[in-house]
Amino acid sequence: MPSIERVADLDDPRLDDFRATREGDALRRRGVFVGEGMLVLRRMLAPDARFALKAVLLDARREGEARALLDASPVAGDLPVFVTARDALERVIGFPFHQGVLALGERREERDALCALDEFLRDAPSTALILDGLVDHDNIGAAFRNAAAFGASAVLLSPTCADPLYRKSIRTSLGHALRVPTARFARGDWPRGMDALRDRGVLTVALTPGDDARDIDEFAATLAPGRRLALLVGTEGPGLSERAMRLADARVRIPMAPGADSINVSAALAVALHALRPRPGTLAP
């Protein structure tokens, strides 16, 4: 059973990791991360959770709801759960906080993308995302949310992508950053590491508004039912790096109304993943 403890001393050293909630780099060095809200707690208590819970900090008003969830979980064990008043919780973390639940998770060593490809792309059909240079945590989180919504097998990160376990990434992903498999390309492997996808029979498709790109719907009609592909997207503004673009097997674009040239990366990912989803039957060659 979880160990419930009401905290009166806000300098209690057991709350030190929660005190660093806003300090993503500090938490990463400690080998932990903090997720916000009951939904994230529920994700971390699921039997297929990829990360272990270390502790929970609760606003006293959420204790009943959280306790019912913890008591019903087969993985909660004797998890330490600290309970305090909302104003005290906010003094600990240093900012206004309305969700009332903070979950402290244990990081794993980030997986190397080249070592994970065979596992992530062994099924057919399958689709993976490759994110090139996304540094906005909301965009990272949205990518994981879209990956979960459209059944992507994994999210692969270029070396400069932001941390998917930063609290904003987790929050925007609705906790799916804790569920969808992910790995990162080492600096020396990017972007040439995409050749490893081609060696495994994976088609790499770059999403770009460029005039030389094919209409995504027309391209989707050429895909075989058992295809394995990786959808490559870049950051808003600069878009994909030219080096990564050159290594892609195909370039596709989302048709826009006259006068519009782009949509944000989250919306573009949703449209593209839906357009490229596996479909039954034999498609045109």
Side-chain angles (χ1 to χ4, degrees):
M1 297 287 289
S3 173
I4 309 292
E5 183 169 346
R6 282 158 183 78
V7 178
D9 179 8
L10 300 187
D11 294 322
D12 190 321
R14 293 174 299 176
L15 302 183
D16 283 349
D17 286 332
F18 293 107
R19 243 183 292 282
T21 292
R22 292 187 297 180
E23 302 170 20
D25 290 340
L27 290 173
R28 188 163 49 248
R29 289 192 296 270
R30 298 180 191 186
V32 295
F33 63 90
V34 173
E36 304 172 355
M38 195 65 69
L39 176 59
V40 167
L41 179 61
R42 187 174 291 110
R43 299 265 194 241
M44 295 188 70
L45 289 171
D48 62 347
R50 295 192 298 118
F51 300 94
L53 261 174
K54 293 191 67 176
V56 176
L57 177 61
L58 296 175
D59 175 341
R61 293 175 298 181
R62 305 303 298 272
E63 180 182 356
E65 183 182 1
R67 188 163 191 166
L69 188 62
L70 291 162
D71 288 346
S73 170
V75 302
D78 57 355
L79 179 76
V81 179
F82 305 109
V83 181
T84 191
R86 174 177 165 180
D87 61 339
L89 186 154
E90 292 180 347
R91 290 201 299 273
V92 169
I93 64 176
F95 59 91
F97 185 67
H98 306 291
Q99 297 197 57
V101 179
L102 290 168
L104 182 69
E106 184 175 349
R107 281 180 178 266
R108 295 177 174 181
E109 185 175 352
E110 201 166 45
R111 298 190 66 182
D112 179 87
L114 291 185
C115 296
L117 291 181
D118 289 328
E119 174 188 338
F120 289 169
L121 293 162
R122 63 173 177 262
D123 297 330
S126 64
T127 304
L129 290 183
I130 305 179
L131 308 182
D132 181 14
L134 268 66
V135 296
D136 182 275
H137 290 101
D138 287 319
N139 285 340
I140 290 286
F144 277 85
R145 183 177 179 181
N146 280 317
F150 295 100
S153 59
V155 177
L156 305 177
L157 308 170
S158 76
T160 57
C161 280
D163 180 13
L165 295 183
Y166 184 63
R167 63 187 180 90
K168 286 187 66 178
S169 302
I170 296 173
R171 183 175 66 231
T172 306
S173 77
L174 296 186
H176 289 298
L178 306 175
R179 295 183 58 250
V180 177
T182 186
R184 189 181 296 268
F185 286 95
R187 289 189 179 275
D189 293 333
W190 181 258
R192 296 298 308 179
M194 286 198 297
D195 287 339
L197 294 164
R198 187 176 298 106
D199 294 342
R200 289 163 171 79
V202 178
L203 188 69
T204 303
V205 182
L207 186 62
T208 171
D211 292 337
D212 61 342
R214 296 181 65 179
D215 181 300
I216 193 168
D217 292 321
E218 294 176 1
F219 177 78
T222 70
L223 295 174
R227 90 293 182 281
R228 293 188 297 163
L229 62 84
L231 177 62
L232 175 63
V233 296
T235 188
E236 292 185 29
L240 285 167
S241 65
E242 186 57 38
R243 290 178 63 210
M245 191 89 75
R246 285 199 304 269
L247 289 171
D249 298 304
R251 301 183 184 189
V252 300
R253 60 178 175 82
I254 298 169
M256 302 280 175
D261 60 358
S262 67
I263 52 180
N264 68 44
V265 67
S266 174
L269 271 173
V271 171
L273 285 169
H274 181 266
L276 297 175
R277 70 194 185 279
R279 303 168 194 248
T282 302
L283 303 182

